[in-house]
Amino acid sequence: MSELHGQEPEGWPCELSEEVDALLADLSLPGEVFGAIIAATVQINETRGMVPGSTASLKWSQQRRMPLGRDGVLGVAEYVIVADADPPYIVLTRIQLY
């Protein structure tokens, strides 16, 4: 294990909802969109959900939205931060494509 003793891992796992998993499995999904979704999961993981440019829901602060693709031209990714779980994780719940 590459972690130093007593240090937390850098990021939190980013799991996919069934809806997002099915979207990624769709062979007609353009490569640009597929790549943007994968890039979003990496950003979500590395920042523990606090992606620069993401916004929190007014009703539920654990639910966040982030632009998908350069400047959000492809759509919006929605995810939920489950910080109180042991270990904490994040679920990419929905992708809204434009």
Side-chain angles (χ1 to χ4, degrees):
M1 186 179 257
S2 64
E3 294 175 36
L4 296 176
H5 181 67
Q7 282 189 328
E8 291 186 45
E10 290 184 23
W12 289 347
C14 183
E15 300 177 5
L16 305 178
S17 69
E18 289 181 18
E19 179 181 331
V20 174
D21 193 42
L23 177 64
L24 288 173
D26 183 347
L27 297 178
S28 67
L29 186 69
E32 180 183 20
V33 174
F34 183 91
I37 294 170
I38 299 304
T41 65
V42 171
Q43 280 189 295
I44 291 167
N45 166 270
E46 290 177 344
T47 62
R48 298 182 180 189
M50 304 309 287
V51 177
S54 67
T55 58
S57 167
L58 294 176
K59 295 181 181 180
W60 188 30
S61 62
Q62 295 91 339
Q63 181 185 33
R64 300 190 67 85
R65 293 172 192 86
M66 66 178 284
L68 192 62
R70 186 179 303 275
D71 298 322
V73 297
L74 298 175
V76 176
E78 296 181 357
Y79 58 96
V80 174
I81 302 170
V82 189
D84 57 349
D86 186 23
Y89 64 98
I90 299 163
V91 179
L92 184 57
T93 55
R94 193 169 117 180
I95 303 293
Q96 295 176 307
L97 297 175
Y98 297 143

